[in-house]
Amino acid sequence: MFITVLLSNLIIKKKILIFFEVIGLIFIISNCITLFYSKVQQRHFSVNGGVPKVAFVVMGLQNYMDLKNGWYDGYTLSTYKQHNYSEKETEKQAQEDLKREIDRLKNSRSNIVGFFKRKLISTWSDSTFQSLWIAPWENKANKKLKYIYNDNKESTIRIISNLTTQLILFCGGISCLRKNKKIEYANYLTLVMLFFVGGFLFHLIWETKSQYVWTYVEILIPISAMEFNHLFAYANRWRKKL
């Protein structure tokens, strides 16, 4: 409720300060939750610290098969096992590897641009979000399932999903550019944009996969549907004037 009030003020009064208050509040709440579960774990359980976050950043900056940069490649788990499940030793190794990866990217501007370009394309360009890749291939002998899960560029499902995804992104983008006087809609739009942009930036640095980003596209569906309806109504009014 408090976050909603702050976002409402951001829309109405256009105060940049309130935006940073929202970000700060989210950061504080997130760290409080993490601290709470950490204390519960220390009091009631005896477990290792787990894989440090920096290891996921390292994996997000590595080459994967020289094609899908920053994708999951098993680095986190293998490094954790290599250091006998020690969080401190794994973090130390990951920090060294992170420095190496940053130095590699800093060698030339083309390295940086090329790396993140390929990472963005491989992450966001699959309109099926790897749903065909994780399909039940044990049933591929079934002709109907084989037709549905035929994972190639010419498959009907891939063509339809590609058009649908482009429509969602297009209408979502138009909705962000167009002003709306309804405060409830504006609040929801702000939350959606924060969620989408946050996820976009997060997977730009973090380990990524195409299937991870479906949720960021999914949340655009309501505003895209409303914008599509608005565009359809506008086109209908324009047609009647002809």
Side-chain angles (χ1 to χ4, degrees):
M1 184 64 183
F2 183 59
I3 295 177
T4 304
V5 172
L6 290 179
L7 290 174
S8 299
N9 290 331
L10 175 63
I11 297 298
I12 298 172
K13 300 181 181 180
K14 299 181 179 180
K15 292 183 177 180
I16 302 300
L17 178 61
I18 296 178
F19 172 78
F20 289 105
E21 289 179 356
V22 173
I23 299 300
L25 182 62
I26 294 174
F27 179 79
I28 292 172
I29 293 175
S30 175
N31 279 275
C32 287
I33 294 174
T34 301
L35 181 62
F36 170 76
Y37 280 107
S38 176
K39 293 296 183 182
V40 171
Q41 174 258 308
Q42 292 175 7
R43 183 177 301 177
H44 300 284
F45 304 97
S46 177
V47 295
N48 292 331
V51 180
K53 295 181 178 64
V54 66
F56 291 92
V57 177
V58 174
M59 187 158 56
L61 296 177
Q62 289 181 333
N63 287 322
Y64 176 67
M65 297 173 60
D66 294 324
L67 174 62
K68 295 178 179 178
N69 301 263
W71 278 49
Y72 178 82
D73 58 5
Y75 167 83
T76 48
L77 186 58
S78 62
T79 306
Y80 193 44
K81 287 182 177 179
Q82 180 183 344
H83 292 284
N84 197 27
Y85 303 98
S86 170
E87 181 183 11
K88 291 184 178 180
E89 292 299 320
T90 304
E91 184 173 7
K92 182 179 178 181
Q93 179 67 55
Q95 289 175 346
E96 294 176 359
D97 294 340
L98 178 62
K99 185 178 183 301
R100 185 193 68 240
E101 294 301 328
I102 292 176
D103 290 339
R104 176 181 63 81
L105 292 173
K106 286 169 58 179
N107 285 337
S108 67
R109 183 179 178 182
S110 60
N111 282 351
I112 298 176
V113 174
F115 174 83
F116 286 106
K117 177 183 177 182
R118 290 189 295 271
K119 184 174 184 178
L120 286 173
I121 291 174
S122 63
T123 302
W124 293 92
S125 63
D126 183 2
S127 59
T128 66
F129 302 96
Q130 294 185 280
S131 58
L132 299 181
W133 175 69
I134 59 177
W137 284 104
E138 65 273 11
N139 295 321
K140 64 181 180 180
N142 185 302
K143 291 184 179 181
K144 292 182 179 179
L145 288 177
K146 188 175 182 180
Y147 174 78
I148 293 174
Y149 294 112
N150 181 25
D151 190 10
N152 60 65
K153 294 181 179 179
E154 291 75 28
S155 70
T156 304
I157 289 182
R158 184 173 289 278
I159 293 173
I160 294 174
S161 66
N162 186 38
L163 293 174
T164 303
T165 302
Q166 290 185 30
L167 182 62
I168 292 172
L169 294 175
F170 174 77
C171 291
I174 295 296
S175 185
C176 294
L177 297 175
R178 188 170 62 85
K179 292 183 179 180
N180 196 293
K181 296 181 180 180
K182 294 182 178 180
I183 189 63
E184 296 84 1
Y185 179 83
N187 286 341
Y188 178 74
L189 181 61
T190 302
L191 289 171
V192 167
M193 288 300 101
L194 283 174
F195 185 75
F196 183 85
V197 173
F200 180 87
L201 295 176
F202 175 76
H203 286 289
L204 191 63
I205 302 300
W206 202 262
E207 171 252 326
T208 190
K209 270 187 178 182
S210 184
Q211 59 182 299
Y212 296 165
V213 300
W214 158 243
T215 184
Y216 305 113
V217 176
E218 181 182 26
I219 199 173
L220 293 175
I221 292 177
I223 64 171
S224 297
M226 287 186 284
E227 188 60 34
F228 181 77
N229 182 64
H230 174 81
L231 293 174
F232 185 81
Y234 177 81
N236 192 41
R237 290 194 301 268
W238 181 78
R239 181 182 59 83
K240 289 180 179 179
K241 291 180 181 180
L242 297 178

